[in-house]
Amino acid sequence: LENGTAMVECDNYQAGKIAARHLIERGCRHLIHFSGVRETAMPADKRATGFEEVCMENKVSHTEIVTSANQYHALEYHDFIEKVLKEYPKTDGIFASSDLIAAQLIQVCSKLKIAIPNQMKIVGFDDVNVASLTTPRITTIRQPIKEMARVAIELMISASEGNITPSQTVLPVTLVERETT
């Protein structure tokens, strides 16, 4: 949330590191990160940096797949995911920049007869309702949305009272292990 004086976000950099570490610990050696839209700079871009650093430290093959603004707004990734998985057949682990993309990954893997988690492991991001409604349920990075909203409101109130507030507040993320890893 940005209100001109303060920005509240989750630790996107740490999220990328946690996702990469988790996939590597589960035996993945050919990773893909479906990242955000590159035409627009977003805090989520830091996820790609954290993910890439852990992959490089562990000498693990990794590819960042950037989504388009059209896909982002339409929330439709099936054809794109299928094309990417066919282009990178060795892929055994994916970090999706949202649980919505992770859910569509599950559908495409099912269509292509790729078994999750045996052949493909997936980590999503957000921990929204869809993460626990899919089969298999999505391992994801939980973004502390309620806490972020609470802090943002407190900062706006404090700023409106004339108090000095931090220009940026970063809250921690956590891994929620489910069935896709």
Side-chain angles (χ1 to χ4, degrees), residues 6-98:
M7 185 164 167
V8 177
E9 63 183 286
C10 71
D11 193 337
N12 284 286
Y13 174 73
Q14 194 62 29
K17 292 180 79 152
I18 291 169
R21 263 194 225 110
H22 183 70
L23 290 166
I24 292 166
E25 287 168 3
R26 294 293 177 277
C28 298
R29 293 296 172 258
H30 302 279
L31 301 179
I32 285 180
H33 175 211
F34 280 94
S35 67
V37 180
R38 280 296 178 201
E39 293 99 58
T40 311
M42 301 169 97
D45 296 344
K46 295 174 192 163
R47 280 181 231 153
T49 304
F51 186 84
E52 184 177 349
E53 283 180 13
V54 169
C55 289
M56 288 178 12
E57 287 167 12
N58 289 277
K59 297 176 177 47
V60 170
S61 163
H62 62 283
T63 304
E64 181 183 5
I65 304 294
V66 180
T67 56
S68 73
N70 288 344
Q71 289 165 317
Y72 178 79
H73 294 296
L75 304 176
E76 173 50 54
Y77 297 91
H78 287 89
D79 293 341
F80 181 67
I81 290 168
E82 188 170 342
K83 178 179 167 274
V84 168
L85 292 181
K86 287 178 178 176
E87 189 176 332
Y88 296 94
K90 289 183 175 183
T91 302
D92 57 4
I94 297 175
F95 175 36
S97 62
S98 72

